[in-house]
Amino acid sequence: HGELAYAWVDALRTADVSEVPALLPDFKKFRTDATPILRGLVQDETTEPRTQLNASLALLQNDLTQEDDLLNRALNASPDELLLIRNAFSAVEIRPSTVLWKVVDDPNVANPEKFNALCMLANADPQNSRWQTLGPFLAEQLVTQTSLSFALKWSDVLTPVQQWIIEPLAAVFHNADSTDTQRTVSVSILTNYG
């Protein structure tokens, strides 16, 4: 059993973000042997960030102390990584709404981190009345992404709160001061939201 656990840890350690969801359910089989190795990977500062993320996601299934580290990672994550974290939180019924709303309200937090916090909140707290006022901020963040593909991935993450983003995106499209790129992104997301 130990050799299989080591092989599983090695697969998880090198897994791409798209491969991690298929590996995580097997953690239960190897928990005893894999947990100390995964904890070592998380705690070792020389471990590659992707490997630390994968190890934390596996450990989260039985170790809710991983929540804080994963929340911090989510604030700087790519859309795919954020979805992975968000889905892992949902699987263990973690709803970090209070902490994330504090991030959004903190004037010292940069807009990209606030945006990521809101992306996590879109799933954790989609019924909150605060979304009504956040649509313009979300639209601005979406149309200023580095690429159309990233903007579309982020818009998928925000689907639970899309109703608050549609009107501000339409305003970007119709605004004479918007760049061609911003118009392209806004119309692409609007089409995606259908």
Side-chain angles (χ1 to χ4, degrees), residues 143-155:
V143 301
T144 57
Q145 290 297 312
T146 57
S147 71
L148 176 60
S149 65
F150 251 50
L152 289 171
K153 284 183 179 190
W154 283 122
S155 70

Side-chain angles (χ1 to χ4, degrees), residues 5 9 17 23-24 48 50 56 63 67 74 96 108-109 113 120 124 126 128 132-133 153 169 181:
V9 168
V17 69
L23 291 168
L24 290 178
E48 188 177 324
R50 177 185 67 182
S56 286
D63 178 5
E67 178 183 357
N108 298 315
V109 173
E113 292 176 341
M120 289 286 289
N128 194 300
Q132 296 173 40
T133 62
K153 284 183 179 190
L169 282 172
T181 302

Side-chain angles (χ1 to χ4, degrees), residues 24-78:
L24 290 178
D26 291 333
F27 176 67
K28 291 176 180 129
K29 297 177 196 171
F30 307 118
R31 178 181 22 214
T32 302
D33 293 322
T35 296
I37 301 166
L38 294 174
R39 282 203 176 110
L41 291 172
V42 169
Q43 294 167 355
D44 183 351
E45 293 178 11
T46 63
T47 301
E48 188 177 324
R50 177 185 67 182
T51 299
Q52 287 180 323
L53 172 62
N54 295 353
S56 286
L57 288 166
L59 289 169
L60 180 68
Q61 297 175 55
N62 292 318
D63 178 5
L64 297 182
T65 64
Q66 298 300 313
E67 178 183 357
D68 290 341
D69 180 55
L70 287 168
L71 274 175
N72 286 330
R73 289 177 187 278
L75 296 179
N76 295 296
S78 70

Side-chain angles (χ1 to χ4, degrees), residues 103-130:
V103 169
V104 171
D105 293 336
D106 188 338
N108 298 315
V109 173
N111 282 346
E113 292 176 341
K114 286 183 187 207
F115 178 72
N116 279 28
L118 288 167
C119 287
M120 289 286 289
L121 283 162
N123 192 56
D125 195 8
Q127 303 303 319
N128 194 300
S129 62
R130 296 179 64 184

